[in-house]
Amino acid sequence: MKDIARELGVSVATVSRALKDSPRISQERRTLIQEYARVHNFTPNVIAESLRFARVQPMKVIGVIIPEFTHFYFSSVLAGIEEEASSRGYRILVAHSGESYEREVNICRSFYENKVCGIIVSQAKDTHRYEHFQMLLDNGLPLVFYDRICTGVDASRVVVDDYMGAFNAVSYLIETGCTRIAFYGSQMNLEISKNRFNGYKDALRQHQIEYDPELTYICDNRADAEAITPDVLKKDPPPNGFFAINDDTAIGILYTAKHMGFRVPEDIGICGFTNGQRAVACDPMLTTVEQRGHRVGEEAADILIDQVEGRIPVDKVVKRVVRTRLVVRGTTK
């Protein structure tokens, strides 16, 4: 703006007002300044402007931390956050923790130092300490968890009904003839793992099937599923049903079972959890629990922005649950 002011012989304040189309500047001068700026490819520095006014209003930039980009669920959550934020005049700054505690700590510190107005986060699998989250809250920064919530700090969160999603899925497997059902889940320090595991066990109990700990495995990706499933299917008797914590793991089970000569769903029923694009790209198509990531993202952004704008007190903990539904396809009878 100083360059424009110098070239056109006006003050920096005049340039600033003209670029904002202020009626305090004549139309002729506004047009002159705006045209000069356009020809010389001038665009305002939005971050700098936000920082300038940060004392009277927070920067309209939301920090978002996702554990991994490749998972359909997290990308759909991100889309929901971005759409809700954009509709309310906010931008998002996205970082990827790579499931690393150390990286997550550094991201939180970077977001705080760069004056984001709030943070939306799903914690990394590797996270067992929570001081970095508590530091944000102690300094008055709104914080909203989604999917993988942190029970070690008292913060707002948006989750799906993991327990009922798992309970309904396993109940359906039982009702369609599966009597020996394996569970593939994540580490039990994650609340989603605990809730889905409890839904699995309670569905067995509800249908008078005894829980067998030898059918429970820490396995939450396709590669590991393909590695362990051959031995699982060599058990005597083998499982005739599988419930997996996500679609990729379920597809790994499906691929391995078919490769070993098992028929799906005649010999084995398989159910996943996500309902991403891969669920309809396998053969047969996957029965799965729809997780509604886009809706989770919208709700998380809505809570955070309401806290930033004072509609919800920053110290008030808001908890929202997004309902799931079972989508029945070809991997179950």
Side-chain angles (χ1 to χ4, degrees):
M1 287 195 292
K2 288 180 179 179
D3 293 340
I4 296 173
R6 184 177 59 253
E7 290 297 321
L8 298 181
V10 297
S11 68
V12 174
T14 297
V15 174
S16 176
R17 294 188 182 110
L19 293 176
K20 294 176 181 176
D21 211 28
S22 169
R24 295 175 61 184
I25 308 300
S26 70
Q27 182 61 58
E28 180 182 1
R29 180 158 289 182
R30 270 184 281 163
T31 301
L32 175 66
I33 292 171
Q34 290 169 3
E35 179 64 16
Y36 185 93
R38 185 188 65 79
V39 170
H40 291 82
N41 298 312
F42 171 82
T43 55
N45 187 322
V46 178
I47 298 296
E49 187 173 18
S50 297
L51 287 170
R52 181 185 176 194
F53 293 106
R55 290 187 178 182
V56 293
Q57 62 182 29
M59 282 181 60
K60 290 196 168 186
V61 179
I62 298 169
V64 181
I65 305 176
I66 64 174
E68 53 181 317
F69 278 115
T70 56
H71 198 295
F72 173 83
Y73 176 68
F74 292 121
S75 64
S76 62
V77 171
L78 186 59
I81 292 171
E82 199 281 330
E83 287 186 22
E84 178 67 16
S86 178
S87 71
R88 298 179 65 173
Y90 287 74
R91 292 171 294 115
I92 64 172
L93 187 62
V94 184
H96 170 228
S97 70
E99 304 288 13
S100 164
Y101 164 76
E102 290 80 9
R103 190 167 175 176
E104 184 179 83
V105 170
N106 290 333
I107 292 169
C108 286
R109 183 181 301 114
S110 175
F111 278 168
Y112 179 73
E113 291 172 351
N114 283 279
K115 307 299 183 185
V116 298
C117 64
I119 296 176
I120 299 173
V121 57
S122 181
Q123 75 172 59
K125 290 179 187 176
D126 209 18
T127 297
H128 293 83
R129 298 174 58 188
Y130 314 114
E131 294 92 340
H132 54 304
F133 294 138
Q134 190 60 54
M135 179 274 292
L136 299 173
L137 293 171
D138 290 345
N139 283 279
L141 192 69
L143 181 67
V144 177
F145 287 96
Y146 68 92
D147 189 53
R148 302 181 194 164
I149 64 172
C150 173
T151 57
V153 297
D154 203 18
S156 297
R157 72 274 313 265
V158 180
V159 296
V160 299
D161 54 345
D162 294 295
Y163 172 87
M164 284 307 301
F167 181 90
N168 291 335
V170 175
S171 293
Y172 183 80
L173 286 169
I174 295 169
E175 290 160 6
T176 53
C178 298
T179 55
R180 187 166 162 77
I181 302 171
F183 174 85
Y184 283 24
S186 293
Q187 302 164 15
M188 289 300 169
N189 65 301
L190 300 174
E191 284 299 302
I192 62 167
S193 298
K194 294 177 186 176
N195 292 335
R196 294 178 195 179
F197 180 56
N198 288 334
Y200 158 78
K201 287 200 301 181
D202 285 353
L204 296 179
R205 186 180 300 112
Q206 180 78 18
H207 293 83
Q208 289 80 51
I209 296 176
E210 185 176 354
Y211 165 65
D212 183 353
E214 292 190 2
L215 292 179
T216 298
Y217 303 90
I218 301 300
C219 175
D220 61 2
N221 60 75
R222 178 170 178 168
D224 287 350
E226 291 180 8
I228 72 170
T229 301
D231 288 337
V232 176
L233 286 173
K234 289 175 185 175
K235 287 180 176 290
D236 185 21
N240 59 2
F242 287 84
F243 174 66
I245 198 166
N246 58 49
D247 286 355
D248 283 353
T249 303
I251 291 169
I253 298 166
L254 171 62
Y255 174 85
T256 305
K258 289 175 63 178
H259 186 72
M260 293 177 66
F262 289 89
R263 299 172 302 163
V264 179
E266 292 83 2
D267 301 327
I268 296 172
I270 302 171
C271 182
F273 206 114
T274 300
N275 196 31
Q277 296 172 344
R278 295 175 187 173
V280 294
C282 54
D283 181 28
M285 291 190 288
L286 184 67
T287 292
T288 185
V289 179
E290 185 174 45
Q291 208 168 350
R292 300 180 65 200
H294 194 280
R295 184 62 181 167
V296 169
E298 290 178 330
E299 292 287 349
D302 180 64
I303 294 171
L304 187 82
I305 293 171
D306 279 352
Q307 289 183 325
V308 169
E309 296 181 350
R311 294 183 183 87
I312 299 175
V314 175
D315 58 353
K316 180 179 180 180
V317 174
V318 179
K319 300 177 182 179
R320 293 183 188 171
V321 178
V322 174
R323 301 300 173 191
T324 58
R325 72 183 182 99
L326 183 65
V327 181
V328 177
R329 297 194 182 98
T331 56
T332 54
K333 294 177 183 176

